[in-house]
Amino acid sequence: KSLILTEEEKKVTAYHEAGHALVAAKLPNSDPLHKVTIIPRGMALGVTMQLPIDDKHNYTRDYLDTEIAIMMGGRIAEEMFLNQMSTGAGNDIERATDLARKMVCEFGMSQLGPLTYGKKEEQIFLGREIAQHRDYSEATAIRIDEEVRRLISEGYDRAQAVLAADREVLVKIALALLEREVLDANEIRMIIEGKELPKITPPPRSDD
């Protein structure tokens, strides 16, 4: 069953998703926005959906950097506009950290150079399909952690700059989400361009 949100949770979710959406709309190298909703789906309080123009099998460093910034947008919006942090950003932070670690350890996209760290080996009998085998020193482990932290921090700073420059737009997106619960790509574009959204027409009343 999907969750039922309190009014306060709806407000937090609206600002959180508005943060994701605005960063995704403003930064280059991101997939186009499809829609944003604060209607809970399963355990997710809200969703910002992006649709790739074509099927990607290969990702650039710029694209992945932008993905981290978009993931950070939700937490930053909560901090900037509601002066709080919530657990709603937990999944974003986990995904961003996982992506940054892959960029460092698997894709060679960091200042540590084009090297992979941590061989993968199958260990079916341990109940896990793949176990990570550490093949590097403690000093290297510290440097890997530093690089992961740097990639996350850079994404955080990029997202923060976008939201700080467009504070009014973010508030308008959040308020529109609270009113309508779902915004499509065209409606978000209208808000960013400073246009008024068409009024919501109430459903016809039945006399029954």
Side-chain angles (χ1 to χ4, degrees):
K1 286 185 178 180
S2 291
L3 304 169
I4 297 173
L5 301 188
T6 65
E7 289 305 308
E8 181 60 27
E9 285 173 327
K10 270 189 181 175
K11 182 180 177 184
V12 172
T13 304
Y15 276 89
H16 184 101
E17 297 304 329
H20 286 313
L22 187 54
V23 175
K26 286 286 186 175
L27 286 184
N29 306 302
S30 68
D31 290 325
L33 279 169
H34 174 55
K35 72 173 182 179
V36 185
T37 175
I38 58 168
I39 299 171
R41 302 273 175 91
M43 295 305 292
L45 304 187
V47 181
T48 297
M49 294 175 63
Q50 295 170 263
L51 289 182
I53 297 169
D54 46 26
D55 290 334
K56 279 193 175 73
H57 304 290
N58 196 23
Y59 299 93
T60 65
R61 166 77 192 271
D62 288 340
Y63 176 87
L64 298 179
D65 283 340
T66 298
E67 282 295 291
I68 291 175
I70 293 168
M71 291 173 197
M72 292 289 112
R75 159 59 64 85
I76 295 166
E78 289 184 35
E79 289 179 17
M80 288 175 68
F81 294 89
L82 305 174
N83 296 315
Q84 68 172 41
M85 295 181 188
S86 79
T87 55
N91 182 246
D92 299 328
I93 293 167
E94 183 181 345
R95 285 166 51 223
T97 306
D98 185 49
L99 177 55
R101 191 163 287 278
K102 282 183 176 175
M103 289 170 71
V104 176
C105 295
E106 293 181 33
F107 309 148
M109 293 179 176
S110 78
Q111 292 178 2
L112 296 184
L115 296 164
T116 60
Y117 298 96
K119 292 176 185 169
K120 286 183 175 176
E121 54 188 40
E122 291 189 11
Q123 299 238 340
I124 306 297
F125 300 109
L126 295 180
R128 295 173 63 180
E129 286 186 17
I130 294 180
Q132 196 84 3
H133 175 66
R134 182 163 148 180
D135 58 357
Y136 46 84
S137 68
E138 188 61 36
T140 300
I142 291 168
R143 290 191 66 199
I144 289 170
D145 287 344
E146 288 171 350
E147 280 297 288
V148 170
R149 184 185 296 273
R150 183 180 64 80
L151 290 172
I152 296 289
S153 295
E154 286 177 359
Y156 187 97
D157 291 345
R158 285 180 77 199
Q160 193 170 44
V162 168
L163 300 186
D166 277 311
R167 296 178 69 96
E168 288 181 16
V169 174
L170 188 136
V171 172
K172 285 178 181 174
I173 294 173
L175 293 178
L177 277 170
L178 285 169
E179 182 187 9
R180 296 164 186 255
E181 294 193 323
V182 179
L183 295 173
D184 62 25
N186 186 51
E187 289 168 331
I188 294 165
R189 192 179 308 112
M190 287 177 71
I191 295 171
I192 289 172
E193 291 172 357
K195 298 174 182 173
E196 290 291 322
L197 295 182
K199 292 275 186 285
I200 302 172
T201 51
R205 292 178 59 184
S206 79
D207 299 326
D208 298 340

